[in-house]
């Protein structure tokens, strides 16, 4: 049976640590501090959110993609600090094929290495596999982005390979090699879910 999804519905995902809700235009104010003070956050990104103008553009692109039913963007709220921490999204959503990608993930410095990302990924993966009925969740990163690759491996992603010269880089003639990782439905239920949940309790 092919799952269906209403892209206009407001998905709220939360636990005791984090809350994810739909990204909206007014979130420029909630993310502006990170945008202005930590521009290096988007070092490996083709679409950057550093500075107010870029942040506004970043959010507009995300909202347009939601209208086009290809992406589901979220803002991330850290309950421990009571602050907005960053953003993440489902993208390249293909309901018919039961696949999607999880990415466009970034957090301010103070939220990295705190366990926040693992909590976010647990909620997002649980929703993808258990509510949307996905068979495959894919992740990609710049093959030079070691921090991001390590984070993906730590939640249970398996490396599939590297797409050579897969996309341009911002403001440079160099092209990016993209590493591809994934989690499959059976892997989620067999091992990834329980292993990731155990790590949340230690965070």
């Amino acid at each position: 049976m092919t799952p269906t999804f209403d892209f206009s519905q407001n998905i709220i995902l939360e636990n005791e640590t984090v809350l994810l809700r739909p990204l909206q235009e007014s979130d420029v104010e909630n993310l502006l501090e990170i945008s202005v003070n930590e521009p290096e956050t988007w070092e490996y990104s083709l679409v950057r959110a550093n500075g107010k103008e870029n942040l506004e553009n970043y959010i507009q692109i995300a909202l347009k993609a939601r209208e086009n039913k290809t992406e589901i963007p979220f803002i991330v709220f850290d309950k421990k600090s009571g602050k907005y921490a960053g953003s993440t999204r489902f993208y390249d959503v293909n309901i018919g094929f039961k696949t999607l990608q999880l990415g466009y993930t970034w957090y301010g410095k103070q939220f990295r290495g705190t366990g926040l990302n693992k909590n976010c990924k647990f909620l997002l993966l649980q929703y993808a596999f258990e509510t949307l009925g996905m068979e495959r969740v894919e992740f990609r990163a710049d093959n030079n982005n070691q921090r991001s690759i390590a984070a993906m491996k730590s939640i249970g992603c398996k490396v599939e390979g590297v797409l050579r010269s897969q996309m341009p880089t911002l403001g440079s003639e160099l092209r990016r090699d993209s590493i591809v990782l994934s989690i499959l439905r059976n892997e989620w239920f067999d091992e990834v879910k329980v292993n990731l949940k155990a790590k949340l309790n230690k965070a």
Side-chain angles (χ1 to χ4, degrees):
M1 182 179 158
T2 301
T4 57
F5 180 73
D6 177 5
F7 280 82
S8 66
Q9 75 180 76
N10 286 327
I11 306 165
I12 307 285
L13 305 175
E14 68 177 313
N15 60 16
E16 63 282 350
T17 301
V18 66
L19 181 142
L20 296 99
R21 64 156 175 79
L23 186 67
Q24 53 198 35
E25 207 167 342
S26 59
D27 284 324
V28 170
E29 296 307 318
N30 293 322
L31 297 170
L32 192 58
E33 187 179 343
I34 297 170
S35 170
V36 170
N37 296 324
E38 301 173 25
E40 69 285 353
T41 300
W42 296 273
E43 178 185 356
Y44 294 103
S45 303
L46 191 58
V47 182
R48 299 188 178 176
N50 53 314
K52 187 172 184 180
E53 191 176 331
N54 284 344
L55 179 59
E56 288 171 343
N57 180 57
Y58 186 93
I59 291 175
Q60 287 300 326
I61 290 170
L63 297 182
K64 192 70 182 170
R66 181 180 172 181
E67 280 180 31
N68 293 335
K69 301 182 178 181
T70 59
E71 300 186 5
I72 308 170
F74 297 92
I75 189 169
V76 178
F77 182 76
D78 177 59
K79 291 186 175 182
K80 290 181 179 176
S81 65
K83 292 180 179 179
Y84 285 97
S87 183
T88 190
R89 75 183 77 162
F90 294 132
Y91 69 106
D92 283 353
V93 179
N94 189 324
I95 297 297
F97 283 12
K98 300 184 181 180
T99 63
L100 56 77
Q101 293 196 53
L102 206 176
Y104 289 89
T105 303
W106 52 269
Y107 310 107
K109 282 179 189 169
Q110 78 175 88
F111 307 102
R112 299 174 203 160
T114 64
L116 179 78
N117 182 56
K118 286 185 173 65
N119 278 275
C120 287
K121 292 299 191 292
F122 183 88
L123 293 170
L124 290 161
L125 289 166
Q126 185 175 50
Y127 189 82
F129 288 118
E130 299 179 26
T131 300
L132 294 181
M134 292 290 121
E135 289 289 340
R136 166 189 169 87
V137 174
E138 182 177 311
F139 301 73
R140 293 187 184 187
D142 187 312
N143 201 34
N144 292 318
N145 190 348
Q146 293 306 314
R147 187 181 72 210
S148 183
I149 294 167
M152 290 187 283
K153 287 179 177 177
S154 76
I155 67 169
C157 295
K158 292 190 175 167
V159 176
E160 296 188 338
V162 175
L163 302 176
R164 298 177 301 157
S165 192
Q166 187 256 334
M167 62 190 287
T169 55
L170 194 63
S172 167
E173 292 299 311
L174 294 173
R175 290 183 61 83
R176 166 180 136 169
D177 292 349
S178 296
I179 188 168
V180 179
L181 306 93
S182 68
I183 297 171
L184 304 183
R185 180 178 179 82
N186 65 299
E187 293 167 349
W188 171 251
F189 286 107
D190 290 349
E191 55 182 334
V192 175
K193 182 178 181 178
V194 66
N195 290 342
L196 187 51
K197 197 163 193 175
K199 289 181 180 180
L200 300 190
N201 296 331
K202 294 174 185 172

